[in-house]
Amino acid sequence: MIVLVSSSVVSAACGAQLGEPSALSGGDDVSSGSDDVPPANGSGSGGTNVDGTDAGVPPPKPTPLDPCCHDRAHCVASTDIPAASQTFLDNDSCDDDQLCVPDQILDADPIATCTANSGALGDYTGVCLSDCFHFGVAGLALAKGSCDSHELCVPCDVGGQPTGAPGCP
């Protein structure tokens, strides 16, 4: 069974990758305060943000994720990745406490369907997944099929059993 990064990891990782305060705050730039918010006590910076921080102090910018897998993936803390998914991710050039998660998953891109033929699986349909995933020995049975470069066609089921590959119905 192939289980990969959960949507909560995608959300957390995507937020960490954004880096623009307006993207994180819904478009309002709270870092400069607001002219229509009076100072709380007649002095100060102009009020308090929703999170309780001083509106005159810019919120910290998220730390960008380090690239890995030839710039087709980014390093994510292992603690943010479900244990069942960690098997399919390599450390690559990431720190010891991180795993390399393909951008295809972090960006929540639509996952294309594919057809392929391999000696081990015969003709099959599946989904195109980044070759940054670690498929282990099972990867030897996978073919590129109709996928783009740097992707493999991963079957949605084998022998009538679902594989759990992301993007499969």
Side-chain angles (χ1 to χ4, degrees), residues 9-31:
V9 170
V10 172
S11 298
C14 286
Q17 197 172 18
L18 287 174
E20 290 294 328
S22 62
L24 296 173
S25 64
D28 296 328
D29 183 3
V30 295
S31 64

Side-chain angles (χ1 to χ4, degrees), residues 2 7 29 34 40-41 52 55 59 67 77 83-84 96 98 114 117 120 137:
I2 298 173
S7 60
D29 183 3
S34 173
N41 61 3
D96 290 341
Q98 298 177 325
C114 57
N117 180 293
V137 177

Side-chain angles (χ1 to χ4, degrees), residues 14-133:
C14 286
Q17 197 172 18
L18 287 174
E20 290 294 328
S22 62
L24 296 173
S25 64
D28 296 328
D29 183 3
V30 295
S31 64
S32 61
S34 173
D35 291 336
D36 56 345
V37 176
N41 61 3
S43 64
S45 63
T48 305
N49 289 328
V50 173
D51 65 0
T53 59
D54 187 348
V57 177
K61 289 191 177 188
T63 305
L65 302 174
D66 292 327
C68 53
C69 191
H70 309 287
D71 291 329
R72 295 190 315 270
H74 285 83
C75 300
V76 174
S78 299
T79 55
D80 291 338
I81 301 170
S85 299
Q86 292 182 16
T87 304
F88 300 99
L89 302 170
D90 282 327
N91 179 264
D92 196 68
S93 60
C94 301
D95 291 341
D96 290 341
D97 61 344
Q98 298 177 325
L99 292 169
C100 187
V101 178
D103 289 341
Q104 169 185 47
I105 299 301
L106 292 176
D107 295 340
D109 290 340
I111 297 175
T113 58
C114 57
T115 57
N117 180 293
S118 75
L121 298 172
D123 290 330
Y124 66 94
T125 59
V127 290
C128 297
L129 295 180
S130 171
D131 63 3
C132 293
F133 284 111

